[in-house]
Amino acid sequence: MRGLEVGSRKRVAMEERGSVLLLGLIVSILILFTTVAAVSTTLTLGKEAKYKIDRTRALSLAEGVTETAQKRILEQVSNFEAPTLNGTVDLGGGTYAYTVTPIGASYNQTDADGIQRAIQHYQISSSVNSGDGYATVDRIVDLSMTPLFQYMIFSDDDLEILPGPRMTL
């Protein structure tokens, strides 16, 4: 009987060794898959974060370009010049283009006090690429011009502006 017991114990021990080896292999494969999934998720999140940063930078640059273009338009009109319809802006170490498009024709508007003003609408557009990010900003600007002479009051034959000091010699 001892011979049978020793032989069956060897078989059970061999089967157990095989099952431990199989169990170890399965656990190793599961750890490998978990590690691969973690690395893949980390890389994906890193790429997504980089894209969001690039997109935010592009949007900030595009807004800066339209803001600068609006300032240029206001300066040109206040100096009695026609607005430049195309231009570039140096911003953040790069040069970016913008376009200005008049919307409709200029028209006159009179308020309740009789003050007349000329109104013109403009669209300012800029597009910026920054890394993987891209942004386009369109801004509508309403430009209102009121002639100053409407606020002056003249009396008699001299050019007094009332109320104020006497201008008659």
Side-chain angles (χ1 to χ4, degrees), residues 84-151:
T84 305
L85 299 181
N86 295 309
T88 59
V89 174
D90 294 328
L91 192 63
T95 301
Y96 305 99
Y98 67 87
T99 59
V100 177
T101 307
I103 300 173
S106 177
Y107 62 93
N108 292 327
Q109 182 181 37
T110 305
D111 64 9
D113 295 328
I115 303 297
Q116 294 183 357
R117 66 188 59 160
I119 299 174
Q120 175 65 54
H121 306 288
Y122 292 97
Q123 177 180 352
I124 304 170
S125 301
S126 66
S127 297
V128 175
N129 286 325
S130 177
D132 291 333
Y134 178 79
T136 298
V137 173
D138 293 322
R139 178 179 289 191
I140 304 296
V141 177
D142 299 329
L143 188 62
S144 174
M145 296 168 282
T146 305
L148 183 62
F149 69 85
Q150 295 181 86
Y151 295 104

Side-chain angles (χ1 to χ4, degrees), residues 38-56 130-133:
V39 168
S40 175
T41 301
T42 303
L43 291 175
T44 301
L45 291 175
K47 287 178 184 177
E48 184 178 337
K50 183 185 178 310
Y51 173 71
K52 285 182 180 180
I53 289 170
D54 287 344
R55 188 179 63 191
T56 302
S130 177
D132 291 333

